[in-house]
C-alpha cells in the first residue's frame, strides 16, 4: 500500500476557517460598495414639494445607471440649481412634448391631452414666471413636485427646464422610514 500524501484528509485549521470567513466578508462588502457607487444611490428628501408621495427626511434608493428619463418618473437632479441639495421632482414632459397649464382650472395638458394626476396634493393653480404653452427641447425635461401649491419647479425660471445630463437617477423605493417602505410610482 502506497503512503497517502500529507494533508489530503486533514480538517481545515481554525486559522484557515477564519481567513475564508474574512475573505468572504471582504468580497461581499466590495460587491455592496460597487452596487451603491455605480447602480444605486441613497438620497434623503428635503422639503415638502413631493408630498404626499415623499415626505421630508424620507430616504430613497435611486437607480443611477442605465436610466432614460420617462414621463411620470420621480427623479433626483443635481443640486447646483438649489444651493447644493439634490432636487426630487416628477417628470411631466420630455423633449418634443408641448405642455400647457390652465391655472384657473388647475389642469395640465400634455400634447393636447389632459393629464390624470392622482399623485398630486392639489390642482396646479400656482404659476410662476414661465409662459405657457411650453415646447420642451430635445435633451431636456419639464419637472414639477406633487405638492403643486408648495413646489418650486420648472414653472419657475429659477429652476427651468432640466438638462437630462443633470438627472442623477430615478427614485425606485422608499427605504426609510421602514413602516412606509415601498416602491415609488
Amino acid at each position: 500500500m502506497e503512503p497517502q500524501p500529507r494533508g489530503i484528509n486533514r480538517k481545515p485549521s481554525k486559522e484557515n476557517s477564519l481567513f475564508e470567513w474574512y475573505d468572504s466578508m471582504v468580497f461581499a462588502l466590495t460587491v455592496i460598495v460597487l452596487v451603491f457607487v455605480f447602480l444605486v444611490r441613497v438620497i434623503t428628501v428635503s422639503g415638502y414639494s413631493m408630498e404626499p408621495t415623499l415626505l421630508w427626511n424620507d430616504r430613497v434608493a435611486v437607480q443611477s445607471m442605465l436610466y432614460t428619463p420617462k414621463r411620470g418618473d420621480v427623479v433626483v437632479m443635481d443640486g447646483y440649481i438649489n444651493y447644493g441639495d439634490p432636487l426630487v421632482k416628477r417628470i411631466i414632459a420630455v423633449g418634443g412634448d408641448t405642455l400647457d397649464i390652465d391655472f384657473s382650472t388647475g389642469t395640465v395638458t400634455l400634447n393636447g391631452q389632459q393629464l390624470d394626476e392622482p399623485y398630486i396634493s392639489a390642482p396646479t393653480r400656482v404659476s410662476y414666471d414661465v409662459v405657457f404653452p411650453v415646447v420642451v427641447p430635445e435633451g431636456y425635461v419639464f419637472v414639477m413636485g406633487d405638492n403643486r401649491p408648495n413646489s418650486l419647479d420648472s414653472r419657475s425660471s429659477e429652476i427651468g427646464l432640466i438638462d437630462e445630463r443633470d438627472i442623477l437617477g430615478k427614485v425606485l423605493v422608499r427605504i426609510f422610514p421602514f413602516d412606509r417602505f415601498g416602491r415609488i410610482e
Side-chain angles (χ1 to χ4, degrees):
M1 186 163 147
E2 290 184 26
Q4 293 269 353
R6 294 185 78 151
I8 287 188
N9 290 328
R10 292 169 90 184
K11 291 185 178 179
S13 70
K14 197 173 198 177
E15 292 83 22
N16 282 345
S17 295
L18 207 53
F19 177 76
E20 286 176 12
W21 180 85
Y22 175 77
D23 192 42
S24 297
M25 291 302 296
V26 168
F27 177 76
L29 286 173
T30 303
V31 169
I32 290 170
V33 167
L34 289 174
V35 165
F36 277 98
V37 167
F38 294 109
L39 297 177
V40 176
R41 295 180 184 199
V42 176
I43 302 288
T44 300
V45 175
S46 60
Y48 301 105
S49 72
M50 284 303 294
E51 288 182 2
T53 306
L54 295 170
L55 306 178
W56 196 309
N57 284 332
D58 280 357
R59 287 183 185 69
V60 294
V62 177
Q63 174 188 349
S64 55
M65 296 262 319
L66 306 172
Y67 171 68
T68 303
K70 294 180 186 67
R71 288 181 213 104
D73 287 349
V74 176
V75 294
V76 176
M77 289 144 299
D78 194 352
Y80 74 88
I81 299 168
N82 196 22
Y83 314 107
D85 291 333
L87 293 175
V88 181
K89 305 288 181 192
R90 187 178 299 273
I91 296 176
I92 304 301
V94 296
D97 286 341
T98 301
L99 183 75
D100 200 6
I101 301 176
D102 182 342
F103 293 103
S104 63
T105 62
T107 58
V108 178
T109 305
L110 180 66
N111 301 324
Q113 300 287 335
Q114 184 176 334
L115 290 182
D116 177 29
E117 300 182 290
Y119 43 78
I120 62 175
S121 66
T124 310
R125 295 188 193 276
V126 175
S127 65
Y128 292 97
D129 59 342
V130 171
V131 178
F132 289 90
V134 170
V135 177
V136 180
E138 291 298 327
Y140 288 83
V141 296
F142 186 100
V143 297
M144 287 196 282
D146 291 354
N147 187 359
R148 300 290 165 78
N150 296 304
S151 177
L152 185 62
D153 48 42
S154 292
R155 293 173 286 169
S156 167
S157 60
E158 187 176 336
I159 302 294
L161 297 171
I162 304 294
D163 190 317
E164 289 181 358
R165 294 174 293 187
D166 292 330
I167 296 175
L168 300 177
K170 175 184 177 184
V171 175
L172 298 174
V173 301
R174 176 184 4 255
I175 57 176
F176 184 81
F178 299 120
D179 62 335
R180 294 187 25 249
F181 179 90
R183 188 175 169 163
I184 301 300
E185 300 282 337

